Amino acid sequence: MFIEGQSQRVVLEWSLPIVHDCLREFYVQYVPLRSAGFKQLTQLHFTLWASLVRGDFEAARADEAKLATTAASLGLDVAICGAANRYVAAELLDLSLRRFRRMPEESKTNNQTLLAILMHLNRNAAPSHAAATVFRQAA
């Protein structure tokens, strides 16, 4: 069961700025910072994470396909997107564990959200788009 309502808004409020920063920090290693490709890649990947945090896994599947296509168009191996996902997830988990350790309900909500996201990224279901298949295997 995925979180909804006020708890979900709280997770969105604190996590999305972190996601944005992590993606920018990660992708600058692979794509020039001021390039159109950098902006497009980070925005698409951010959109994916926003869908994941909202629990909209149907939208996330479409976002994954767009991201995989964009990464390929920039000459990036789609495994890099999977590595970016692991980087973001690790950062969110670390922050949640440290920041919310004295707030058990918030910590539980954060951890449930991250678990649902990781389960989505690592699921074995066959996607409809070939590029998304590679993306999921890399995640």
mmCIF file with all atom_site columns, all heavy atoms in Angstrom, residues 13-36:
data_model
loop_
_atom_site.group_PDB
_atom_site.id
_atom_site.type_symbol
_atom_site.label_atom_id
_atom_site.label_alt_id
_atom_site.label_comp_id
_atom_site.label_asym_id
_atom_site.label_entity_id
_atom_site.label_seq_id
_atom_site.pdbx_PDB_ins_code
_atom_site.Cartn_x
_atom_site.Cartn_y
_atom_site.Cartn_z
_atom_site.occupancy
_atom_site.B_iso_or_equiv
_atom_site.pdbx_formal_charge
_atom_site.auth_seq_id
_atom_site.auth_comp_id
_atom_site.auth_asym_id
_atom_site.auth_atom_id
_atom_site.pdbx_PDB_model_num
ATOM 1   N N   . GLU A 1 13 ? 7.629  17.261 -0.308  1.00 0.00 ? 13 GLU A N   1
ATOM 2   C CA  . GLU A 1 13 ? 8.246  18.540 0.057   1.00 0.00 ? 13 GLU A CA  1
ATOM 3   C C   . GLU A 1 13 ? 9.733  18.406 0.354   1.00 0.00 ? 13 GLU A C   1
ATOM 4   O O   . GLU A 1 13 ? 10.524 19.220 -0.083  1.00 0.00 ? 13 GLU A O   1
ATOM 5   C CB  . GLU A 1 13 ? 7.533  19.143 1.266   1.00 0.00 ? 13 GLU A CB  1
ATOM 6   C CG  . GLU A 1 13 ? 6.195  19.732 0.954   1.00 0.00 ? 13 GLU A CG  1
ATOM 7   C CD  . GLU A 1 13 ? 5.456  20.219 2.191   1.00 0.00 ? 13 GLU A CD  1
ATOM 8   O OE1 . GLU A 1 13 ? 6.030  20.174 3.310   1.00 0.00 ? 13 GLU A OE1 1
ATOM 9   O OE2 . GLU A 1 13 ? 4.297  20.630 2.052   1.00 0.00 ? 13 GLU A OE2 1
ATOM 10  N N   . TRP A 1 14 ? 10.106 17.410 1.119   1.00 0.00 ? 14 TRP A N   1
ATOM 11  C CA  . TRP A 1 14 ? 11.522 17.337 1.487   1.00 0.00 ? 14 TRP A CA  1
ATOM 12  C C   . TRP A 1 14 ? 12.360 16.584 0.465   1.00 0.00 ? 14 TRP A C   1
ATOM 13  O O   . TRP A 1 14 ? 13.543 16.870 0.299   1.00 0.00 ? 14 TRP A O   1
ATOM 14  C CB  . TRP A 1 14 ? 11.713 16.736 2.893   1.00 0.00 ? 14 TRP A CB  1
ATOM 15  C CG  . TRP A 1 14 ? 11.558 15.258 3.012   1.00 0.00 ? 14 TRP A CG  1
ATOM 16  C CD1 . TRP A 1 14 ? 10.460 14.583 3.427   1.00 0.00 ? 14 TRP A CD1 1
ATOM 17  C CD2 . TRP A 1 14 ? 12.551 14.257 2.734   1.00 0.00 ? 14 TRP A CD2 1
ATOM 18  N NE1 . TRP A 1 14 ? 10.689 13.234 3.409   1.00 0.00 ? 14 TRP A NE1 1
ATOM 19  C CE2 . TRP A 1 14 ? 11.972 13.001 2.991   1.00 0.00 ? 14 TRP A CE2 1
ATOM 20  C CE3 . TRP A 1 14 ? 13.870 14.291 2.285   1.00 0.00 ? 14 TRP A CE3 1
ATOM 21  C CZ2 . TRP A 1 14 ? 12.654 11.801 2.821   1.00 0.00 ? 14 TRP A CZ2 1
ATOM 22  C CZ3 . TRP A 1 14 ? 14.551 13.096 2.108   1.00 0.00 ? 14 TRP A CZ3 1
ATOM 23  C CH2 . TRP A 1 14 ? 13.950 11.874 2.385   1.00 0.00 ? 14 TRP A CH2 1
ATOM 24  N N   . SER A 1 15 ? 11.776 15.632 -0.248  1.00 0.00 ? 15 SER A N   1
ATOM 25  C CA  . SER A 1 15 ? 12.606 14.780 -1.097  1.00 0.00 ? 15 SER A CA  1
ATOM 26  C C   . SER A 1 15 ? 12.902 15.358 -2.473  1.00 0.00 ? 15 SER A C   1
ATOM 27  O O   . SER A 1 15 ? 14.009 15.169 -2.992  1.00 0.00 ? 15 SER A O   1
ATOM 28  C CB  . SER A 1 15 ? 11.971 13.405 -1.253  1.00 0.00 ? 15 SER A CB  1
ATOM 29  O OG  . SER A 1 15 ? 10.753 13.481 -1.974  1.00 0.00 ? 15 SER A OG  1
ATOM 30  N N   . LEU A 1 16 ? 11.962 16.039 -3.085  1.00 0.00 ? 16 LEU A N   1
ATOM 31  C CA  . LEU A 1 16 ? 12.178 16.475 -4.466  1.00 0.00 ? 16 LEU A CA  1
ATOM 32  C C   . LEU A 1 16 ? 13.332 17.467 -4.636  1.00 0.00 ? 16 LEU A C   1
ATOM 33  O O   . LEU A 1 16 ? 14.079 17.348 -5.611  1.00 0.00 ? 16 LEU A O   1
ATOM 34  C CB  . LEU A 1 16 ? 10.879 16.989 -5.078  1.00 0.00 ? 16 LEU A CB  1
ATOM 35  C CG  . LEU A 1 16 ? 9.844  15.880 -5.324  1.00 0.00 ? 16 LEU A CG  1
ATOM 36  C CD1 . LEU A 1 16 ? 8.591  16.451 -5.981  1.00 0.00 ? 16 LEU A CD1 1
ATOM 37  C CD2 . LEU A 1 16 ? 10.410 14.743 -6.144  1.00 0.00 ? 16 LEU A CD2 1
ATOM 38  N N   . PRO A 1 17 ? 13.542 18.415 -3.722  1.00 0.00 ? 17 PRO A N   1
ATOM 39  C CA  . PRO A 1 17 ? 14.747 19.246 -3.878  1.00 0.00 ? 17 PRO A CA  1
ATOM 40  C C   . PRO A 1 17 ? 16.043 18.432 -3.809  1.00 0.00 ? 17 PRO A C   1
ATOM 41  O O   . PRO A 1 17 ? 17.000 18.710 -4.530  1.00 0.00 ? 17 PRO A O   1
ATOM 42  C CB  . PRO A 1 17 ? 14.655 20.238 -2.713  1.00 0.00 ? 17 PRO A CB  1
ATOM 43  C CG  . PRO A 1 17 ? 13.202 20.289 -2.375  1.00 0.00 ? 17 PRO A CG  1
ATOM 44  C CD  . PRO A 1 17 ? 12.683 18.902 -2.642  1.00 0.00 ? 17 PRO A CD  1
ATOM 45  N N   . ILE A 1 18 ? 16.044 17.403 -2.971  1.00 0.00 ? 18 ILE A N   1
ATOM 46  C CA  . ILE A 1 18 ? 17.218 16.529 -2.860  1.00 0.00 ? 18 ILE A CA  1
ATOM 47  C C   . ILE A 1 18 ? 17.407 15.752 -4.156  1.00 0.00 ? 18 ILE A C   1
ATOM 48  O O   . ILE A 1 18 ? 18.531 15.622 -4.669  1.00 0.00 ? 18 ILE A O   1
ATOM 49  C CB  . ILE A 1 18 ? 17.067 15.554 -1.665  1.00 0.00 ? 18 ILE A CB  1
ATOM 50  C CG1 . ILE A 1 18 ? 16.832 16.301 -0.366  1.00 0.00 ? 18 ILE A CG1 1
ATOM 51  C CG2 . ILE A 1 18 ? 18.262 14.611 -1.587  1.00 0.00 ? 18 ILE A CG2 1
ATOM 52  C CD1 . ILE A 1 18 ? 17.889 17.298 0.018   1.00 0.00 ? 18 ILE A CD1 1
ATOM 53  N N   . VAL A 1 19 ? 16.310 15.232 -4.702  1.00 0.00 ? 19 VAL A N   1
ATOM 54  C CA  . VAL A 1 19 ? 16.378 14.497 -5.970  1.00 0.00 ? 19 VAL A CA  1
ATOM 55  C C   . VAL A 1 19 ? 16.977 15.388 -7.050  1.00 0.00 ? 19 VAL A C   1
ATOM 56  O O   . VAL A 1 19 ? 17.885 14.977 -7.785  1.00 0.00 ? 19 VAL A O   1
ATOM 57  C CB  . VAL A 1 19 ? 14.976 13.988 -6.397  1.00 0.00 ? 19 VAL A CB  1
ATOM 58  C CG1 . VAL A 1 19 ? 14.987 13.477 -7.825  1.00 0.00 ? 19 VAL A CG1 1
ATOM 59  C CG2 . VAL A 1 19 ? 14.474 12.923 -5.435  1.00 0.00 ? 19 VAL A CG2 1
ATOM 60  N N   . HIS A 1 20 ? 16.495 16.603 -7.147  1.00 0.00 ? 20 HIS A N   1
ATOM 61  C CA  . HIS A 1 20 ? 16.984 17.548 -8.157  1.00 0.00 ? 20 HIS A CA  1
ATOM 62  C C   . HIS A 1 20 ? 18.490 17.766 -8.012  1.00 0.00 ? 20 HIS A C   1
ATOM 63  O O   . HIS A 1 20 ? 19.241 17.674 -8.992  1.00 0.00 ? 20 HIS A O   1
ATOM 64  C CB  . HIS A 1 20 ? 16.223 18.870 -8.029  1.00 0.00 ? 20 HIS A CB  1
ATOM 65  C CG  . HIS A 1 20 ? 16.598 19.862 -9.049  1.00 0.00 ? 20 HIS A CG  1
ATOM 66  N ND1 . HIS A 1 20 ? 17.565 20.829 -8.829  1.00 0.00 ? 20 HIS A ND1 1
ATOM 67  C CD2 . HIS A 1 20 ? 16.164 20.042 -10.319 1.00 0.00 ? 20 HIS A CD2 1
ATOM 68  C CE1 . HIS A 1 20 ? 17.697 21.554 -9.923  1.00 0.00 ? 20 HIS A CE1 1
ATOM 69  N NE2 . HIS A 1 20 ? 16.870 21.109 -10.836 1.00 0.00 ? 20 HIS A NE2 1
ATOM 70  N N   . ASP A 1 21 ? 18.928 18.037 -6.798  1.00 0.00 ? 21 ASP A N   1
ATOM 71  C CA  . ASP A 1 21 ? 20.355 18.270 -6.558  1.00 0.00 ? 21 ASP A CA  1
ATOM 72  C C   . ASP A 1 21 ? 21.187 17.035 -6.877  1.00 0.00 ? 21 ASP A C   1
ATOM 73  O O   . ASP A 1 21 ? 22.264 17.140 -7.484  1.00 0.00 ? 21 ASP A O   1
ATOM 74  C CB  . ASP A 1 21 ? 20.598 18.681 -5.100  1.00 0.00 ? 21 ASP A CB  1
ATOM 75  C CG  . ASP A 1 21 ? 20.094 20.073 -4.788  1.00 0.00 ? 21 ASP A CG  1
ATOM 76  O OD1 . ASP A 1 21 ? 19.766 20.833 -5.728  1.00 0.00 ? 21 ASP A OD1 1
ATOM 77  O OD2 . ASP A 1 21 ? 20.011 20.407 -3.591  1.00 0.00 ? 21 ASP A OD2 1
ATOM 78  N N   . CYS A 1 22 ? 20.716 15.872 -6.481  1.00 0.00 ? 22 CYS A N   1
ATOM 79  C CA  . CYS A 1 22 ? 21.463 14.629 -6.738  1.00 0.00 ? 22 CYS A CA  1
ATOM 80  C C   . CYS A 1 22 ? 21.606 14.367 -8.236  1.00 0.00 ? 22 CYS A C   1
ATOM 81  O O   . CYS A 1 22 ? 22.685 13.975 -8.700  1.00 0.00 ? 22 CYS A O   1
ATOM 82  C CB  . CYS A 1 22 ? 20.771 13.445 -6.071  1.00 0.00 ? 22 CYS A CB  1
ATOM 83  S SG  . CYS A 1 22 ? 20.961 13.375 -4.290  1.00 0.00 ? 22 CYS A SG  1
ATOM 84  N N   . LEU A 1 23 ? 20.524 14.553 -8.971  1.00 0.00 ? 23 LEU A N   1
ATOM 85  C CA  . LEU A 1 23 ? 20.585 14.302 -10.412 1.00 0.00 ? 23 LEU A CA  1
ATOM 86  C C   . LEU A 1 23 ? 21.550 15.259 -11.101 1.00 0.00 ? 23 LEU A C   1
ATOM 87  O O   . LEU A 1 23 ? 22.329 14.847 -11.962 1.00 0.00 ? 23 LEU A O   1
ATOM 88  C CB  . LEU A 1 23 ? 19.191 14.400 -11.027 1.00 0.00 ? 23 LEU A CB  1
ATOM 89  C CG  . LEU A 1 23 ? 18.231 13.278 -10.624 1.00 0.00 ? 23 LEU A CG  1
ATOM 90  C CD1 . LEU A 1 23 ? 16.827 13.582 -11.110 1.00 0.00 ? 23 LEU A CD1 1
ATOM 91  C CD2 . LEU A 1 23 ? 18.719 11.931 -11.142 1.00 0.00 ? 23 LEU A CD2 1
ATOM 92  N N   . ARG A 1 24 ? 21.513 16.510 -10.724 1.00 0.00 ? 24 ARG A N   1
ATOM 93  C CA  . ARG A 1 24 ? 22.448 17.481 -11.311 1.00 0.00 ? 24 ARG A CA  1
ATOM 94  C C   . ARG A 1 24 ? 23.892 17.101 -10.963 1.00 0.00 ? 24 ARG A C   1
ATOM 95  O O   . ARG A 1 24 ? 24.761 17.116 -11.824 1.00 0.00 ? 24 ARG A O   1
ATOM 96  C CB  . ARG A 1 24 ? 22.138 18.895 -10.823 1.00 0.00 ? 24 ARG A CB  1
ATOM 97  C CG  . ARG A 1 24 ? 20.863 19.469 -11.418 1.00 0.00 ? 24 ARG A CG  1
ATOM 98  C CD  . ARG A 1 24 ? 20.558 20.860 -10.906 1.00 0.00 ? 24 ARG A CD  1
ATOM 99  N NE  . ARG A 1 24 ? 21.666 21.788 -11.022 1.00 0.00 ? 24 ARG A NE  1
ATOM 100 C CZ  . ARG A 1 24 ? 21.983 22.470 -12.117 1.00 0.00 ? 24 ARG A CZ  1
ATOM 101 N NH1 . ARG A 1 24 ? 21.263 22.316 -13.206 1.00 0.00 ? 24 ARG A NH1 1
ATOM 102 N NH2 . ARG A 1 24 ? 23.011 23.301 -12.120 1.00 0.00 ? 24 ARG A NH2 1
ATOM 103 N N   . GLU A 1 25 ? 24.122 16.755 -9.723  1.00 0.00 ? 25 GLU A N   1
ATOM 104 C CA  . GLU A 1 25 ? 25.463 16.364 -9.291  1.00 0.00 ? 25 GLU A CA  1
ATOM 105 C C   . GLU A 1 25 ? 25.935 15.108 -10.015 1.00 0.00 ? 25 GLU A C   1
ATOM 106 O O   . GLU A 1 25 ? 27.098 15.001 -10.411 1.00 0.00 ? 25 GLU A O   1
ATOM 107 C CB  . GLU A 1 25 ? 25.447 16.123 -7.777  1.00 0.00 ? 25 GLU A CB  1
ATOM 108 C CG  . GLU A 1 25 ? 26.779 15.738 -7.195  1.00 0.00 ? 25 GLU A CG  1
ATOM 109 C CD  . GLU A 1 25 ? 26.688 15.503 -5.699  1.00 0.00 ? 25 GLU A CD  1
ATOM 110 O OE1 . GLU A 1 25 ? 25.890 16.173 -5.019  1.00 0.00 ? 25 GLU A OE1 1
ATOM 111 O OE2 . GLU A 1 25 ? 27.427 14.628 -5.210  1.00 0.00 ? 25 GLU A OE2 1
ATOM 112 N N   . PHE A 1 26 ? 25.047 14.168 -10.212 1.00 0.00 ? 26 PHE A N   1
ATOM 113 C CA  . PHE A 1 26 ? 25.414 12.917 -10.863 1.00 0.00 ? 26 PHE A CA  1
ATOM 114 C C   . PHE A 1 26 ? 25.696 13.112 -12.348 1.00 0.00 ? 26 PHE A C   1
ATOM 115 O O   . PHE A 1 26 ? 26.726 12.680 -12.858 1.00 0.00 ? 26 PHE A O   1
ATOM 116 C CB  . PHE A 1 26 ? 24.296 11.876 -10.670 1.00 0.00 ? 26 PHE A CB  1
ATOM 117 C CG  . PHE A 1 26 ? 24.654 10.536 -11.239 1.00 0.00 ? 26 PHE A CG  1
ATOM 118 C CD1 . PHE A 1 26 ? 25.352 9.620  -10.472 1.00 0.00 ? 26 PHE A CD1 1
ATOM 119 C CD2 . PHE A 1 26 ? 24.324 10.199 -12.536 1.00 0.00 ? 26 PHE A CD2 1
ATOM 120 C CE1 . PHE A 1 26 ? 25.713 8.388  -10.994 1.00 0.00 ? 26 PHE A CE1 1
ATOM 121 C CE2 . PHE A 1 26 ? 24.675 8.969  -13.066 1.00 0.00 ? 26 PHE A CE2 1
ATOM 122 C CZ  . PHE A 1 26 ? 25.371 8.063  -12.295 1.00 0.00 ? 26 PHE A CZ  1
ATOM 123 N N   . TYR A 1 27 ? 24.780 13.749 -13.063 1.00 0.00 ? 27 TYR A N   1
ATOM 124 C CA  . TYR A 1 27 ? 24.888 13.826 -14.526 1.00 0.00 ? 27 TYR A CA  1
ATOM 125 C C   . TYR A 1 27 ? 25.966 14.781 -15.018 1.00 0.00 ? 27 TYR A C   1
ATOM 126 O O   . TYR A 1 27 ? 26.405 14.668 -16.159 1.00 0.00 ? 27 TYR A O   1
ATOM 127 C CB  . TYR A 1 27 ? 23.543 14.163 -15.159 1.00 0.00 ? 27 TYR A CB  1
ATOM 128 C CG  . TYR A 1 27 ? 22.622 12.972 -15.238 1.00 0.00 ? 27 TYR A CG  1
ATOM 129 C CD1 . TYR A 1 27 ? 21.381 12.981 -14.623 1.00 0.00 ? 27 TYR A CD1 1
ATOM 130 C CD2 . TYR A 1 27 ? 23.004 11.815 -15.922 1.00 0.00 ? 27 TYR A CD2 1
ATOM 131 C CE1 . TYR A 1 27 ? 20.539 11.885 -14.694 1.00 0.00 ? 27 TYR A CE1 1
ATOM 132 C CE2 . TYR A 1 27 ? 22.168 10.721 -15.987 1.00 0.00 ? 27 TYR A CE2 1
ATOM 133 C CZ  . TYR A 1 27 ? 20.943 10.753 -15.375 1.00 0.00 ? 27 TYR A CZ  1
ATOM 134 O OH  . TYR A 1 27 ? 20.116 9.661  -15.442 1.00 0.00 ? 27 TYR A OH  1
ATOM 135 N N   . VAL A 1 28 ? 26.442 15.683 -14.174 1.00 0.00 ? 28 VAL A N   1
ATOM 136 C CA  . VAL A 1 28 ? 27.495 16.595 -14.614 1.00 0.00 ? 28 VAL A CA  1
ATOM 137 C C   . VAL A 1 28 ? 28.779 15.826 -14.944 1.00 0.00 ? 28 VAL A C   1
ATOM 138 O O   . VAL A 1 28 ? 29.626 16.309 -15.691 1.00 0.00 ? 28 VAL A O   1
ATOM 139 C CB  . VAL A 1 28 ? 27.735 17.715 -13.574 1.00 0.00 ? 28 VAL A CB  1
ATOM 140 C CG1 . VAL A 1 28 ? 28.526 17.212 -12.373 1.00 0.00 ? 28 VAL A CG1 1
ATOM 141 C CG2 . VAL A 1 28 ? 28.402 18.914 -14.219 1.00 0.00 ? 28 VAL A CG2 1
ATOM 142 N N   . GLN A 1 29 ? 28.872 14.603 -14.454 1.00 0.00 ? 29 GLN A N   1
ATOM 143 C CA  . GLN A 1 29 ? 30.021 13.752 -14.769 1.00 0.00 ? 29 GLN A CA  1
ATOM 144 C C   . GLN A 1 29 ? 29.981 13.243 -16.212 1.00 0.00 ? 29 GLN A C   1
ATOM 145 O O   . GLN A 1 29 ? 31.002 12.817 -16.745 1.00 0.00 ? 29 GLN A O   1
ATOM 146 C CB  . GLN A 1 29 ? 30.041 12.529 -13.847 1.00 0.00 ? 29 GLN A CB  1
ATOM 147 C CG  . GLN A 1 29 ? 30.079 12.837 -12.378 1.00 0.00 ? 29 GLN A CG  1
ATOM 148 C CD  . GLN A 1 29 ? 29.869 11.576 -11.579 1.00 0.00 ? 29 GLN A CD  1
ATOM 149 O OE1 . GLN A 1 29 ? 30.749 10.719 -11.529 1.00 0.00 ? 29 GLN A OE1 1
ATOM 150 N NE2 . GLN A 1 29 ? 28.706 11.460 -10.958 1.00 0.00 ? 29 GLN A NE2 1
ATOM 151 N N   . TYR A 1 30 ? 28.782 13.266 -16.815 1.00 0.00 ? 30 TYR A N   1
ATOM 152 C CA  . TYR A 1 30 ? 28.590 12.641 -18.121 1.00 0.00 ? 30 TYR A CA  1
ATOM 153 C C   . TYR A 1 30 ? 28.167 13.592 -19.235 1.00 0.00 ? 30 TYR A C   1
ATOM 154 O O   . TYR A 1 30 ? 28.364 13.283 -20.401 1.00 0.00 ? 30 TYR A O   1
ATOM 155 C CB  . TYR A 1 30 ? 27.536 11.525 -18.011 1.00 0.00 ? 30 TYR A CB  1
ATOM 156 C CG  . TYR A 1 30 ? 27.918 10.468 -17.008 1.00 0.00 ? 30 TYR A CG  1
ATOM 157 C CD1 . TYR A 1 30 ? 27.422 10.502 -15.713 1.00 0.00 ? 30 TYR A CD1 1
ATOM 158 C CD2 . TYR A 1 30 ? 28.806 9.462  -17.351 1.00 0.00 ? 30 TYR A CD2 1
ATOM 159 C CE1 . TYR A 1 30 ? 27.791 9.538  -14.784 1.00 0.00 ? 30 TYR A CE1 1
ATOM 160 C CE2 . TYR A 1 30 ? 29.183 8.498  -16.433 1.00 0.00 ? 30 TYR A CE2 1
ATOM 161 C CZ  . TYR A 1 30 ? 28.669 8.545  -15.146 1.00 0.00 ? 30 TYR A CZ  1
ATOM 162 O OH  . TYR A 1 30 ? 29.048 7.603  -14.230 1.00 0.00 ? 30 TYR A OH  1
ATOM 163 N N   . VAL A 1 31 ? 27.556 14.703 -18.869 1.00 0.00 ? 31 VAL A N   1
ATOM 164 C CA  . VAL A 1 31 ? 27.020 15.644 -19.849 1.00 0.00 ? 31 VAL A CA  1
ATOM 165 C C   . VAL A 1 31 ? 27.434 17.049 -19.424 1.00 0.00 ? 31 VAL A C   1
ATOM 166 O O   . VAL A 1 31 ? 27.351 17.376 -18.239 1.00 0.00 ? 31 VAL A O   1
ATOM 167 C CB  . VAL A 1 31 ? 25.472 15.544 -19.920 1.00 0.00 ? 31 VAL A CB  1
ATOM 168 C CG1 . VAL A 1 31 ? 24.908 16.466 -20.975 1.00 0.00 ? 31 VAL A CG1 1
ATOM 169 C CG2 . VAL A 1 31 ? 25.025 14.113 -20.170 1.00 0.00 ? 31 VAL A CG2 1
ATOM 170 N N   . PRO A 1 32 ? 27.897 17.880 -20.359 1.00 0.00 ? 32 PRO A N   1
ATOM 171 C CA  . PRO A 1 32 ? 28.295 19.238 -19.987 1.00 0.00 ? 32 PRO A CA  1
ATOM 172 C C   . PRO A 1 32 ? 27.169 20.007 -19.294 1.00 0.00 ? 32 PRO A C   1
ATOM 173 O O   . PRO A 1 32 ? 26.024 20.013 -19.749 1.00 0.00 ? 32 PRO A O   1
ATOM 174 C CB  . PRO A 1 32 ? 28.649 19.885 -21.329 1.00 0.00 ? 32 PRO A CB  1
ATOM 175 C CG  . PRO A 1 32 ? 28.989 18.737 -22.231 1.00 0.00 ? 32 PRO A CG  1
ATOM 176 C CD  . PRO A 1 32 ? 28.112 17.604 -21.784 1.00 0.00 ? 32 PRO A CD  1
ATOM 177 N N   . LEU A 1 33 ? 27.501 20.647 -18.190 1.00 0.00 ? 33 LEU A N   1
ATOM 178 C CA  . LEU A 1 33 ? 26.548 21.313 -17.318 1.00 0.00 ? 33 LEU A CA  1
ATOM 179 C C   . LEU A 1 33 ? 25.627 22.297 -18.036 1.00 0.00 ? 33 LEU A C   1
ATOM 180 O O   . LEU A 1 33 ? 24.435 22.306 -17.813 1.00 0.00 ? 33 LEU A O   1
ATOM 181 C CB  . LEU A 1 33 ? 27.291 22.030 -16.189 1.00 0.00 ? 33 LEU A CB  1
ATOM 182 C CG  . LEU A 1 33 ? 26.451 22.825 -15.204 1.00 0.00 ? 33 LEU A CG  1
ATOM 183 C CD1 . LEU A 1 33 ? 25.515 21.918 -14.426 1.00 0.00 ? 33 LEU A CD1 1
ATOM 184 C CD2 . LEU A 1 33 ? 27.343 23.602 -14.262 1.00 0.00 ? 33 LEU A CD2 1
ATOM 185 N N   . ARG A 1 34 ? 26.151 23.120 -18.884 1.00 0.00 ? 34 ARG A N   1
ATOM 186 C CA  . ARG A 1 34 ? 25.355 24.177 -19.507 1.00 0.00 ? 34 ARG A CA  1
ATOM 187 C C   . ARG A 1 34 ? 24.725 23.762 -20.843 1.00 0.00 ? 34 ARG A C   1
ATOM 188 O O   . ARG A 1 34 ? 24.151 24.582 -21.536 1.00 0.00 ? 34 ARG A O   1
ATOM 189 C CB  . ARG A 1 34 ? 26.220 25.416 -19.724 1.00 0.00 ? 34 ARG A CB  1
ATOM 190 C CG  . ARG A 1 34 ? 26.867 25.920 -18.458 1.00 0.00 ? 34 ARG A CG  1
ATOM 191 C CD  . ARG A 1 34 ? 26.183 27.158 -17.956 1.00 0.00 ? 34 ARG A CD  1
ATOM 192 N NE  . ARG A 1 34 ? 26.886 27.717 -16.816 1.00 0.00 ? 34 ARG A NE  1
ATOM 193 C CZ  . ARG A 1 34 ? 26.460 27.616 -15.573 1.00 0.00 ? 34 ARG A CZ  1
ATOM 194 N NH1 . ARG A 1 34 ? 25.353 26.971 -15.314 1.00 0.00 ? 34 ARG A NH1 1
ATOM 195 N NH2 . ARG A 1 34 ? 27.138 28.139 -14.580 1.00 0.00 ? 34 ARG A NH2 1
ATOM 196 N N   . SER A 1 35 ? 24.791 22.490 -21.161 1.00 0.00 ? 35 SER A N   1
ATOM 197 C CA  . SER A 1 35 ? 24.268 22.037 -22.449 1.00 0.00 ? 35 SER A CA  1
ATOM 198 C C   . SER A 1 35 ? 22.757 21.785 -22.381 1.00 0.00 ? 35 SER A C   1
ATOM 199 O O   . SER A 1 35 ? 22.187 21.543 -21.316 1.00 0.00 ? 35 SER A O   1
ATOM 200 C CB  . SER A 1 35 ? 24.977 20.755 -22.889 1.00 0.00 ? 35 SER A CB  1
ATOM 201 O OG  . SER A 1 35 ? 24.605 19.682 -22.052 1.00 0.00 ? 35 SER A OG  1
ATOM 202 N N   . ALA A 1 36 ? 22.138 21.817 -23.540 1.00 0.00 ? 36 ALA A N   1
ATOM 203 C CA  . ALA A 1 36 ? 20.707 21.512 -23.632 1.00 0.00 ? 36 ALA A CA  1
ATOM 204 C C   . ALA A 1 36 ? 20.454 20.061 -23.233 1.00 0.00 ? 36 ALA A C   1
ATOM 205 O O   . ALA A 1 36 ? 19.436 19.749 -22.615 1.00 0.00 ? 36 ALA A O   1
ATOM 206 C CB  . ALA A 1 36 ? 20.206 21.781 -25.045 1.00 0.00 ? 36 ALA A CB  1
#
